[in-house]
Amino acid sequence: GNRVPKEMPCECEPMVKGDSREYAIAAASILAKVTRDRLMHEYDAMYPQYELARHKGYPTAAHMALVRSHGASPIHRRTFAPLKHMTFDDEGRIVEDS
């Protein structure tokens, strides 16, 4: 990335395109993606109506249509776009979609 978090407890420097410049970053990126894909398969069993195994939770048109149809599940991150622009009721149903 191009920024360093202000609360970093040690010296560091940002590294744009770090995964193509440092093997450790590239390896961590691969591990994170594989872990995410495995989690999405597990979540797919819990919330099959969202087809998470199919699109891994990325906000594809198909996934967003399912969210609009079923509302947000407890695992949906409502602080990230496009959900952060929506208002939900206590059941996860969309009340307002701006």
Side-chain angles (χ1 to χ4, degrees):
N2 61 0
R3 288 178 274 163
V4 174
K6 291 177 185 173
E7 59 276 347
M8 283 298 286
C10 59
E11 268 190 53
C12 60
E13 63 181 71
M15 184 179 293
V16 176
K17 300 203 181 276
D19 57 344
S20 65
R21 297 171 56 197
E22 288 288 337
Y23 291 125
I25 297 172
S29 178
I30 292 167
L31 289 172
K33 289 173 185 170
V34 170
T35 300
R36 177 191 170 88
D37 289 354
R38 289 179 181 164
L39 281 172
M40 288 299 121
H41 280 276
E42 290 178 26
Y43 288 144
D44 185 66
M46 296 168 65
Y47 306 103
Q49 66 271 33
Y50 297 101
E51 300 178 8
L52 296 168
R54 181 173 160 210
H55 48 71
K56 311 299 187 279
Y58 288 103
T60 63
H63 179 68
M64 289 312 302
L66 293 168
V67 170
R68 286 189 175 90
S69 173
H70 301 290
S73 75
I75 65 163
H76 280 94
R77 297 183 297 177
R78 297 170 197 206
T79 57
F80 288 82
L83 272 64
K84 75 177 181 180
H85 304 294
M86 299 176 178
T87 304
F88 300 91
D89 65 14
D90 291 339
E91 302 292 317
R93 292 182 297 260
I94 299 169
V95 175
E96 184 179 334
D97 186 354
S98 49

